[in-house]
Amino acid sequence: MKRLTLLRHAKSGWDDPVKRDFDRPLNERGERAATLMGRFAKKEGMAFDVLVASPAVRVVETLDHFLDSYGQAIETLWDRRIYLASSAALIDVLHAMPDSAGSVLMAGHNPGLEDLILDLVPDDGSNPLRDEVEEKFPTASLATLEFAVDHWKDADAKNATLVAFVRPRDLDAALGPEVH
């Protein structure tokens, strides 16, 4: 059995003028959400053998806040392929994970993470969480998938079960969609 938890970076700031999208930092709301999700992961007893993440500034800052409140260090692999990656590219990253890692945390971006879930979890009507992800995979959300495989290279399309999906707004309504 292999377990993959996906963490989308928290809300980033568009107000700061940066030259490259890669360098966009979190905003205050994003910092709060990342901290909240780290506390949630700790409270739920979530454990990760390895963390693989995009090196984009907003992901690095998300993980700084998440890991501070999670309270445990995780072996981290920074992988530029995750930055704005497609689902297919993310599957390649997943297949490269060491089989010694039973539980992987992958931190990155949409639409790739959402597409990855939709590609890996069968659309057979049996999983209402998949329908929620298909509606939207918001910033700082966590989704956990399980695979009945022994090797990461066998984690492939339509052979995952989505066992958990938690958005910041599920834990704190103030972090829900902004009303304009």
Side-chain angles (χ1 to χ4, degrees), residues 21-172:
D21 174 75
F22 187 89
D23 298 322
R24 224 168 0 105
L26 294 186
N27 63 22
E28 184 180 317
R29 183 183 171 105
E31 292 172 356
R32 286 194 338 253
T35 298
L36 178 67
M37 297 310 281
R39 275 197 302 261
F40 170 79
K42 179 180 183 174
K43 182 178 126 287
E44 293 297 308
M46 298 174 94
F48 310 103
D49 299 315
V50 67
L51 162 61
V52 60
S54 162
V57 169
R58 59 192 178 273
V59 175
V60 172
E61 290 183 358
T62 295
L63 290 169
D64 286 345
H65 291 278
F66 179 90
L67 293 171
D68 279 351
S69 60
Y70 178 67
Q72 293 181 32
I74 306 170
E75 176 189 350
T76 303
L77 308 171
W78 299 103
D79 193 325
R80 195 165 181 87
R81 293 178 297 170
I82 296 173
Y83 175 65
L84 303 181
S86 67
S87 173
L90 294 172
I91 288 173
D92 288 344
V93 171
L94 186 62
H95 286 172
M97 290 295 97
D99 285 331
S100 59
S103 182
V104 170
L105 174 61
M106 180 184 287
H109 312 264
N110 253 7
L113 291 179
E114 181 176 320
D115 291 344
L116 179 64
I117 295 166
L118 299 178
D119 287 345
L120 293 175
V121 178
D123 185 13
D124 58 10
S126 67
N127 194 325
L129 293 177
R130 187 190 187 282
D131 297 337
E132 289 182 40
V133 168
E134 190 168 15
E135 187 176 310
K136 186 170 184 183
F137 189 58
T139 54
S141 292
L142 282 169
T144 302
L145 298 87
E146 290 183 345
F147 301 87
V149 299
D150 293 323
H151 308 282
W152 284 110
K153 68 176 176 51
D154 298 326
D156 232 327
K158 308 299 181 213
N159 74 351
T161 301
L162 181 60
V163 296
F165 173 47
V166 180
R167 301 162 290 215
R169 72 175 186 224
D170 297 331
L171 306 174
D172 180 350

